[in-house]
Amino acid sequence: AQTVTQSQPEMSVQEAETVTLSCTYDTSENNYYLFWYKQPPSRQMILVIRQEAYKQQNATENRFSVNFQKAAKSFSLKISDSQLGDTAMYFCAFMNYGGSQGNLIFGKGTKLSVKP
Amino acid sequence: EAQVTQNPRYLITVTGKKLTVTCSQNMNHEYMSWYRQDPGLGLRQIYYSMNVEVTDKGDVPEGYKVSRKEKRNFPLILESPSPNQTSLYFCASSLSGQGRGYEQYFGPGTRLTVT
């Protein structure tokens, strides 16, 4: 069974600085998808970034980028120029390719606080 | 506006009193799913539906029921709620559940407390 581990329960960063959130996963599959979701205090789940395992190029969305290391089964999220609005819980998630369940397997989350 | 809606947003109930949390999406998505979120555990899938009249158990289905009679609606039913079902519940939908990495769109969440 696949598992997703986020080893940092809480992190903080100063506004305008860069922070990296860690995520590792365990799977025997070769093709899959990885996601980072953001959950602000409003509780809404918002997709931040998505990575296909067959793509070697790391995904980037504005200030958000990932470092995808397939051999190490690592998928970290880098937030550049942190803003107060980035304060949220961040969840790393895994989805099998071709599976019939469409299930997202989530890590336990990292609570990020951006300080002024 | 494309969205997933859930009702109610907050619910306090007593043990054993049947309740239904509704979920509706307006994006013509085939796939819908229910998750529960508990502190320190992340989100875990309860039930999912690949299409109308097709539902199946997720990772934590005990104590829950679902139905998918229409494409847009996917209600979650708790026949006899217990305190261990106190949680934050999310409904989600996506274009397809065929493991193609389609984005899942989440509803706003329903905070359920069972006393």
Side-chain angles (χ1 to χ4, degrees):
Chain A
Q2 290 84 12
T3 58
V4 176
T5 302
Q6 295 179 247
S7 59
Q8 306 149 313
E10 292 192 39
M11 294 189 72
S12 65
V13 63
Q14 291 295 130
E15 197 175 6
E17 299 286 304
T18 295
V19 64
T20 298
L21 309 183
S22 301
C23 173
T24 59
Y25 57 95
D26 187 26
T27 183
S28 58
E29 302 293 332
N30 191 48
N31 292 322
Y32 46 86
Y33 301 89
L34 295 162
F35 305 83
W36 278 97
Y37 277 86
K38 169 185 177 181
Q39 186 180 43
S42 66
R43 304 187 322 215
Q44 182 70 46
M45 293 290 288
I46 302 164
L47 178 65
V48 175
I49 202 163
R50 172 180 177 272
Q51 174 81 42
E52 294 92 338
Y54 62 86
K55 288 187 178 179
Q56 294 196 352
Q57 186 173 4
N58 289 323
T60 299
E61 288 288 342
N62 300 314
R63 297 183 295 107
F64 298 88
S65 62
V66 298
N67 184 4
F68 173 49
Q69 301 289 328
K70 190 173 184 179
K73 296 180 183 176
S74 171
F75 184 60
S76 61
L77 175 70
K78 185 172 83 170
I79 306 174
S80 304
D81 186 25
S82 297
Q83 301 176 0
L84 297 178
D86 296 333
T87 292
M89 282 288 287
Y90 286 83
F91 292 98
C92 179
F94 172 100
M95 179 189 290
N96 251 335
Y97 175 87
S100 61
Q101 190 172 343
N103 190 14
L104 282 169
I105 300 169
F106 287 88
K108 295 181 179 181
T110 296
K111 184 177 182 180
L112 176 67
S113 299
V114 180
K115 301 185 184 305
Chain B
E1 179 189 357
Q3 61 182 349
V4 179
T5 57
Q6 293 179 229
N7 283 293
R9 296 288 310 279
Y10 301 88
L11 179 59
I12 301 174
T13 189
V14 296
T15 299
K17 185 176 181 181
K18 181 180 178 180
L19 66 92
T20 300
V21 183
T22 64
C23 173
S24 183
Q25 50 91 6
N26 62 1
M27 296 170 278
N28 201 36
H29 284 169
E30 289 187 350
Y31 178 87
M32 297 185 75
S33 178
W34 277 102
Y35 296 87
R36 62 177 287 173
Q37 181 181 2
D38 301 292
L41 295 179
L43 282 80
R44 295 174 293 167
Q45 191 181 52
I46 303 170
Y47 267 94
Y48 65 96
S49 170
M50 299 292 280
N51 214 323
V52 176
E53 302 290 3
V54 181
T55 64
D56 209 343
K57 296 177 181 179
D59 298 321
V60 289
E62 294 77 19
Y64 304 95
K65 285 175 58 177
V66 294
S67 68
R68 186 94 181 271
K69 293 182 169 53
E70 304 167 282
K71 198 171 187 178
R72 62 183 294 127
N73 296 323
F74 190 46
L76 179 69
I77 303 157
L78 285 73
E79 294 270 1
S80 182
S82 63
N84 65 11
Q85 293 178 298
T86 292
S87 187
L88 178 60
Y89 291 86
F90 285 98
C91 180
S93 74
S94 70
L95 191 62
S96 169
Q98 291 297 332
R100 293 295 186 266
Y102 293 113
E103 177 180 354
Q104 290 196 17
Y105 294 81
F106 284 80
T110 294
R111 170 73 69 186
L112 172 65
T113 302
V114 184
T115 61

